Amino acid sequence: MTTTEAAVPSAVRPYQHYVYAYPHKTAYRPLLREHASLRALWADEPKDALSLYVHLPFCEVRCGFCNLFTRIGVPDGLTTAYLDALERQAAAVREALGDQARFANAAFGGGTPTFLEAAELERLCDLAEGGLGAALTAIPLSVEASPATVTADRLGVLAARGTTRLSLGVQTFVDAEARMAVRPQRRADVEAALTRIRDAGIPVLNIDLIYGIEGQTEESWRHSLDAALAWRPEELYLYPLYVRPLTGLGRRRGPDSYDAEWDEQRLRLYRYGRDHLLARGYEQVSMRMFRRAGAPTTGGEDYACQSDGMVGLGCGARSYTSALHYSFDYAVDMHRIRGIIDDYTARTAEDFHHADFGYEMDANEARRRHLLQSLLQAEGMPVADYRARFGTAPGDDFPAELDRFGDRGWLDGSAGPELLRLSPEGLARSDALGPELFSAAVRKRMAAYERK
């Protein structure tokens, strides 16, 4: 920990929202079908560098901290029905995009995509390529996985179909901490899974770890970090633990409430983990992401998350155009999730020609999104990029917010006037800084959202 970090007080809670997209999905609302035709939404959009995301809402177990859109206890035939629906949706989306659409990268997430059997993964790749036109072997393809599901035959399919990055949700190498997080796994099984992944030859391995688990100490945190580093992963993600409503931990101990001691524990462990990785040849990309120096790049640099479109397939996936961010219904409660998945699999081809839930973007929201998603990257945001896109400077559009961040020591004053970059303390508090850039309209919708 640096002297600057230790000396900067802040009354703002450091852990508020995990911000990876804006606006937050709880700001989405039902759309009128006649106003949400996919063909109309995509008609005038640039489509030369799209991102594809496919959501597989199935897991073998649900961890105590998980509030993702996923279900367990999958009955016979459901994965087949889901893939059938994905195929119908892909056909509708391809018709809306037209023949000139090109994908710059792709990702399969969830849930746990490797919950699918090897033959089902083959079919998933086929529908992404043949059904939607994404050339998976020619673009970066990232796939999320769990230790229990990365069998040799599944990994063989993924490697053969062009997977360039596999992200393994480990969270902890300490069995007692896994039980505390309501995550049934043994370290021996995790190590066996990592052996299979390395044997498969996928270029980039990412390992997810979580800090802030009850009873976790710097010593046990270092134990997990070193166990992960032994595999020389190309990437490591360090996530703070959140306890959200309707999750297993939320029911057991109550959702997040103000707990200064827990905040300090998470900040302490974050800083320890960050410094540990930096000292061992890793570079910080964001608050959460660390990349090993010299690790292979997977391409896709022509895609810009701040401005380029995203095509989402599957319930739980989101799509982004310049005018509308949209998705299907969202829930955390297992019963509600099952109903949404059943509705999705029952849809006809015609039902996929329109968007269901979304948030309409205007110029102000576009500015907020660009600033937020750029500023939360360790490299920062060139002011010239923002000015070229919007014709204004971020200091003109967000003077109060940027002044606050500067007063708190969250901005790197040495970066110069043409680069907005967070200080180490600002990066540490990304989950507080991000929500402060949410608009009043988004905040109002999020506050009114009915949890389900």
Side-chain angles (χ1 to χ4, degrees):
M1 185 190 310
T2 67
T3 303
T4 302
E5 288 176 322
V8 176
S10 177
V12 180
R13 286 202 64 192
Y15 300 104
Q16 297 179 28
H17 289 290
Y18 169 34
V19 181
Y20 63 94
Y22 178 81
H24 194 271
K25 56 185 170 289
T26 55
Y28 291 14
R29 292 296 184 270
L31 302 167
L32 295 175
R33 179 176 295 205
E34 57 268 28
H35 295 162
S37 158
L38 295 192
R39 181 177 293 179
L41 287 173
W42 286 100
D44 299 321
E45 294 290 311
K47 295 183 278 288
D48 58 336
L50 298 172
S51 180
L52 170 63
Y53 174 72
V54 185
H55 191 85
L56 287 304
F58 307 114
C59 288
E60 72 276 14
V61 296
R62 191 168 197 187
C63 303
F65 51 82
C66 178
N67 71 337
L68 299 177
F69 187 88
T70 188
R71 66 163 289 172
I72 58 174
V74 178
D76 289 345
L78 181 57
T79 55
T80 298
Y82 189 82
L83 289 169
D84 290 344
L86 275 179
E87 198 165 322
R88 294 193 296 274
Q89 187 188 2
V93 170
R94 187 168 192 174
E95 181 181 328
L97 294 175
D99 296 332
Q100 302 305 311
R102 186 187 74 84
F103 290 93
N105 60 54
F108 300 159
T112 307
T114 48
F115 179 89
L116 298 180
E117 300 287 347
E120 293 173 323
L121 287 172
E122 287 275 18
R123 184 181 175 193
L124 176 64
C125 293
D126 285 344
L127 71 86
E129 291 190 329
L132 201 56
L136 297 182
T137 57
I139 61 176
L141 170 61
S142 177
V143 181
E144 296 175 9
S146 68
T149 60
V150 283
T151 57
D153 59 341
R154 291 177 171 109
L155 289 168
V157 169
L158 293 177
R161 300 304 294 263
T163 302
T164 53
R165 176 182 182 271
L166 191 129
S167 180
L168 191 70
V170 174
Q171 319 315 350
T172 177
F173 283 84
V174 179
D175 289 353
E177 290 179 0
R179 290 192 296 271
M180 191 61 67
V182 195
R183 181 179 176 85
Q185 75 179 22
R186 298 182 306 157
R187 177 172 176 176
D189 296 330
V190 173
E191 300 281 359
L194 286 164
T195 298
R196 293 192 295 272
I197 293 168
R198 282 311 197 193
D199 288 346
I202 293 171
V204 173
L205 165 65
N206 172 69
I207 296 177
D208 288 344
L209 296 176
I210 283 181
Y211 56 92
I213 299 170
E214 186 175 348
Q216 193 175 44
T217 64
E218 287 186 7
E219 182 180 2
S220 67
W221 181 224
R222 176 170 181 158
H223 181 80
S224 282
L225 291 165
D226 286 342
L229 287 169
W231 293 93
R232 300 196 75 240
E234 285 71 26
E235 295 176 5
L236 275 161
Y237 270 70
L238 308 184
Y239 289 95
L241 177 67
Y242 280 99
V243 177
R244 294 306 196 195
L246 305 180
T247 63
L249 286 180
R251 289 188 292 271
R252 190 172 77 181
R253 55 180 277 189
D256 287 347
S257 58
Y258 182 69
D259 186 334
E261 185 176 342
W262 190 31
D263 281 350
E264 285 305 313
Q265 180 211 20
R266 286 182 285 183
L267 272 175
R268 184 175 64 253
L269 293 175
Y270 159 78
R271 289 167 174 154
Y272 185 92
R274 175 200 62 193
D275 294 346
H276 197 68
L277 296 185
L278 293 178
R280 283 153 183 81
Y282 282 75
E283 302 167 345
Q284 187 165 19
V285 179
S286 67
M287 172 189 171
R288 285 166 246 282
M289 182 182 177
F290 296 80
R291 180 183 293 124
R292 178 162 55 81
T297 58
T298 56
E301 290 82 5
D302 54 342
Y303 176 78
C305 67
Q306 301 94 332
S307 56
D308 289 331
M310 174 176 280
V311 174
L313 293 184
C315 48
R318 290 191 269 183
S319 299
Y320 307 144
T321 71
S322 59
L324 183 74
H325 289 194
Y326 64 90
S327 183
F328 297 96
D329 199 3
Y330 166 76
V332 175
D333 175 74
M334 188 61 67
H335 179 74
R336 301 292 286 271
I337 289 174
R338 288 174 178 173
I340 294 170
I341 294 173
D342 289 345
D343 173 76
Y344 176 84
T345 58
R347 289 177 178 234
T348 66
E350 183 59 32
D351 291 331
F352 287 118
H353 284 275
H354 62 88
D356 284 26
F357 289 77
Y359 188 91
E360 294 184 9
M361 301 292 288
D362 59 19
N364 174 59
E365 298 291 18
R367 284 174 163 84
R368 289 183 182 276
R369 180 172 183 255
H370 188 108
L371 178 61
L372 187 155
Q373 294 193 266
S374 302
L375 197 55
L376 295 185
Q377 300 299 308
E379 65 183 6
M381 184 189 75
V383 172
D385 290 354
Y386 184 97
R387 190 182 293 116
R389 182 179 178 191
F390 298 110
T392 55
D396 298 330
D397 296 334
F398 303 99
E401 292 90 341
L402 293 177
D403 284 348
R404 277 202 309 275
F405 300 158
D407 291 344
R408 293 171 183 164
W410 292 0
L411 298 179
D412 180 1
S414 69
E418 287 304 306
L419 180 65
L420 267 178
R421 185 170 63 200
L422 297 183
S423 66
E425 180 67 4
L427 272 178
R429 296 176 182 270
S430 293
D431 284 2
L433 183 151
E436 291 202 29
L437 291 172
F438 292 5
S439 70
V442 166
R443 290 173 182 274
K444 183 177 180 180
R445 282 199 178 189
M446 290 174 64
Y449 175 75
E450 177 193 355
R451 293 171 179 166
K452 55 187 177 183

